[in-house]
Amino acid sequence: MIYTTIKKWAFRIVFILNTAGIIVYWALQTEINQHRGSNTQVVNSHFIKTQSSPLAITNVSVLSTDCSKMIDGMTVLIEDGKILEIAKHLSLPNHYQKIDGSGKYLIPGLIDTHVHLNNSKNDLLLYLTNGVTSIAEMSGNERHLRWRKEAQQGALSPHLFVATRELSSTKGMIPAVRSWVGNEKIYTTVASARQAIRQYKVQGYDAIKLSPFLNATIYRAMVREAQKQEIPVIGLNRFHTSGKAQLTHVEGIVKKTIEDFGGLHDQNAKAYLRYLKQRSNMVASQLRKQNITVSSTLWLAESFPKQKFDLENFIKTIALEYANPGVVEGSRLVKGWLPGYNDYENLSIRNNPVKSKKSRVYWSAYVKAHQIMTKALIRNGVKMIAGTNANTACVVPGFSLHDELESLHKAGLSNAQVLRATTIQAAQWMQNGSTGQIEEGYIADLVLLAKNPLVDIKNTKTIQAVITKGKYLDRKNLDKMLQSVKKANRQSRKENIDAYIQ
């Protein structure tokens, strides 16, 4: 009798615990899906009517393959998704649709080498409307691989380069939770690490992303296996001897120099900047010798003080209405972008005059360090490619790349160098040798501009039309795409953002 009673109670306890576990799992998954943008209405892009018949863009100024000059009076023929011919005087067959390029400028489609799509599929349209025809997802999963396949099969989308989520070897509760929610994957043995690299290769990932928190043994095993599998390695850590193809932020270099200096605070900020100026050329030359490419994400770093101390005004300067509401609003687990609930905002420091002054000194030095390091990278011939870290706080997909290009120019790149960073050099790093230039035989990924970006890099925003894989999207269709995303966001939004829309 007693045994039967105990058995019944044990069953009930197990049942209750399992039920509670299911409820907790469901609640956590709901919050995760919210902040990743899963609950936002997805736009049906089939209403966009592209023109994909043979196209002839006539009398247009074409950016040279080295991005140094515009070549006037050219005609560009496009057929079957590729650039067929480029010449000054061409007789056009009747079946070609003519697009008058008089007074306009044709450049390759732009490339953002560091984005986070999360579960926000509408972002793909935002990239295209901003002339971004290729993107590199830096925390990829099976969903992104599926979107890449859809793009390859003709869906309206930029080309997708998909890297794995961060691979780590750190043990403990927090890493376990991060692994569970999908931010990183943990491997604690050499055998499991090497097997994981092989599996990611089979799954079709384009690159392996390594966490800064890998131990040396696992790290070396992953790099060696990735080299064996001929899949590039990217990340933040050990940038001098990494065997990486790319560093994902200039910020990673800056943080390493701060660590080598012994830390940064308000009292030693000037000394640190002097130290960095003396050391920056050596660091840059080591990166060049290692043939490591650096993705910039400079604008985001420059935004940190603005987000920390003047978020209410700063957020009005971004295209907030186009960003996924779930990402903007966050969830109970993860902060979003809005004042009072922003990852970078620090109200306790901002409202304390003494702490605020010290913090402002720190962040001012932090931004200057990025600019110093970027200039050194340029001086020493390190390959720079444009990346934004899109969907990080206040980094709006598509729109933010134009901000990044301006930051790169202010940091010392010429307009031609900036264009190379977001076209040919980015395409080469993504191992896509058939885009990034206006060349015969290349994929027709092109942007038609009203103004010359070699005169002013801000002119990359003067988009008249976008051609993606030979599909022509005029300004009217681009505006329709923007309006459809804005409408979907408005219908999915929980928070009123009218106060932040100018």
Side-chain angles (χ1 to χ4, degrees):
M1 183 72 177
I2 296 175
Y3 174 77
T4 302
T5 302
I6 293 173
K7 189 175 179 180
K8 285 181 179 179
W9 274 105
F11 175 81
R12 289 171 182 170
I13 291 170
V14 170
F15 175 79
I16 291 169
L17 289 175
N18 284 339
T19 303
I22 291 170
I23 293 171
V24 170
Y25 175 85
W26 176 83
L28 290 174
Q29 200 62 52
T30 299
E31 294 300 314
I32 291 167
N33 288 335
Q34 165 63 18
H35 88 256
R36 288 183 177 165
S38 303
N39 299 331
T40 298
Q41 177 183 324
V42 177
V43 171
N44 184 350
S45 61
H46 289 101
F47 78 95
I48 302 296
K49 303 300 180 184
T50 60
Q51 301 171 27
S52 54
S53 58
L55 305 173
I57 306 175
T58 63
N59 197 34
V60 69
S61 296
V62 174
L63 186 67
S64 63
T65 54
D66 64 356
C67 300
S68 66
K69 60 184 178 181
M70 287 289 181
I71 306 170
D72 297 332
M74 304 300 288
T75 293
V76 180
L77 301 185
I78 298 168
E79 192 165 350
D80 295 328
K82 292 188 176 181
I83 300 170
L84 185 65
E85 194 171 357
I86 308 169
K88 273 191 178 289
H89 304 289
L90 290 173
S91 57
L92 302 179
N94 291 331
H95 67 291
Y96 273 82
Q97 179 177 342
K98 297 179 184 177
I99 298 163
D100 185 8
S102 300
K104 298 183 176 66
Y105 303 86
L106 194 67
I107 66 171
L110 306 177
I111 301 172
D112 190 336
T113 63
H114 191 129
V115 312
H116 295 283
L117 288 165
N118 296 319
N119 298 343
S120 184
K121 195 173 187 180
N122 292 345
D123 292 356
L124 300 176
L125 299 184
L126 293 181
Y127 286 112
L128 289 181
T129 58
N130 281 279
V132 183
T133 57
S134 296
I135 57 175
E137 164 60 46
M138 288 290 112
S139 187
N141 56 41
E142 291 77 7
R143 182 191 304 263
H144 303 133
L145 294 176
R146 186 170 67 252
W147 291 354
R148 185 185 66 185
K149 185 175 181 179
E150 291 172 0
Q152 292 167 345
Q153 293 173 341
L156 197 57
S157 166
H159 301 275
L160 269 69
F161 175 101
V162 183
T164 66
R165 69 194 72 179
E166 280 193 340
L167 309 186
S168 176
S169 60
T170 307
K171 299 177 182 179
M173 180 62 72
I174 292 177
V177 171
R178 285 178 57 82
S179 179
W180 177 72
V181 301
N183 290 335
E184 63 184 50
K185 289 290 288 183
I186 299 172
Y187 301 96
T188 57
T189 68
V190 168
S192 65
R194 297 185 77 111
Q195 175 59 31
I197 301 300
R198 292 192 290 270
Q199 185 60 36
Y200 287 126
K201 174 74 172 182
V202 169
Q203 288 177 275
Y205 286 93
D206 295 299
I208 303 297
K209 186 175 182 181
L210 300 185
S211 164
F213 306 109
L214 277 167
N215 74 54
T217 302
I218 302 294
Y219 173 83
R220 285 192 293 269
M222 285 186 169
V223 169
R224 283 196 294 266
E225 188 62 38
Q227 290 170 337
K228 182 179 177 181
Q229 299 297 325
E230 297 183 338
I231 182 169
V233 175
I234 59 180
L236 285 169
N237 58 335
R238 299 174 176 88
F239 54 84
H240 292 325
T241 58
S242 68
K244 288 189 179 70
Q246 190 218 88
L247 286 170
T248 50
H249 308 271
V250 173
E251 187 177 18
I253 307 171
V254 170
K255 285 182 175 179
K256 184 65 166 62
T257 63
I258 290 173
E259 179 185 325
D260 292 343
F261 181 69
L264 171 63
H265 50 79
D266 63 300
Q267 295 295 315
N268 70 353
K270 290 182 179 179
Y272 163 69
L273 292 177
R274 288 194 298 269
Y275 163 85
L276 182 60
K277 287 178 181 178
Q278 295 168 356
R279 185 176 171 79
S280 59
N281 284 323
M282 184 270 289
V283 172
S285 65
Q286 289 182 345
L287 288 169
R288 184 182 179 186
K289 288 176 184 176
Q290 292 288 326
N291 195 29
I292 293 175
T293 299
V294 179
S295 182
S296 53
T297 67
L298 183 58
W299 181 87
L300 173 61
E302 292 174 340
S303 80
F304 290 159
K306 300 170 188 175
Q307 294 198 57
K308 288 182 177 297
F309 304 112
D310 192 23
L311 181 61
E312 289 85 350
N313 288 316
F314 173 70
I315 204 167
K316 295 176 184 178
T317 68
I318 65 173
L320 186 65
E321 64 267 41
Y322 296 105
N324 188 303
V327 176
V328 169
E329 295 166 2
S331 70
R332 293 182 183 89
L333 295 177
V334 181
K335 289 186 177 182
W337 300 10
L338 299 176
Y341 198 63
N342 175 290
D343 254 336
Y344 297 118
E345 189 179 32
N346 194 325
L347 294 173
S348 62
I349 288 179
R350 194 174 68 177
N351 295 330
N352 182 310
V354 175
K355 290 183 178 179
S356 177
K357 183 178 180 180
K358 291 181 179 181
S359 184
R360 287 174 188 271
V361 171
Y362 173 92
W363 287 109
S364 175
Y366 195 73
V367 170
K368 287 177 183 176
H370 282 74
Q371 294 162 344
I372 291 167
M373 197 64 242
T374 301
K375 290 178 189 293
L377 294 171
I378 298 163
R379 279 196 307 270
N380 288 274
V382 176
K383 274 191 179 179
M384 293 283 296
I385 53 178
T388 64
N389 215 356
N391 274 330
T392 303
C394 294
V395 187
V396 183
F399 294 88
S400 57
L401 182 61
H402 299 281
D403 297 324
E404 187 68 22
L405 302 186
E406 289 182 42
S407 287
L408 286 170
H409 176 65
K410 291 174 184 175
L413 273 73
S414 68
N415 291 338
Q417 288 175 315
V418 172
L419 290 173
R420 283 199 290 273
T422 192
T423 57
I424 181 172
Q425 289 177 183
Q428 289 172 345
W429 176 77
M430 290 168 67
Q431 299 181 342
N432 190 344
S434 58
T435 191
Q437 297 183 77
I438 304 178
E439 276 270 58
E440 293 177 2
Y442 274 55
I443 295 172
D445 293 330
L446 305 165
V447 184
L448 191 63
L449 302 174
K451 297 181 181 180
N452 188 348
L454 289 176
V455 174
D456 187 340
I457 200 61
K458 292 179 182 178
N459 289 339
T460 57
K461 298 177 183 178
T462 64
I463 298 171
Q464 303 299 294
V466 174
I467 302 172
T468 173
K469 291 163 275 191
K471 297 176 181 178
Y472 182 80
L473 294 161
D474 61 15
R475 187 66 255 176
K476 184 177 179 181
N477 271 309
L478 296 175
D479 288 337
K480 280 184 181 179
M481 291 161 66
L482 285 173
Q483 289 303 315
S484 66
V485 173
K486 185 189 288 189
K487 180 180 179 181
N489 287 349
R490 187 166 56 246
Q491 293 174 343
S492 306
R493 190 170 286 122
K494 296 179 180 179
E495 299 285 340
N496 189 316
I497 62 168
D498 290 348
Y500 309 115
I501 305 299
Q502 291 189 331

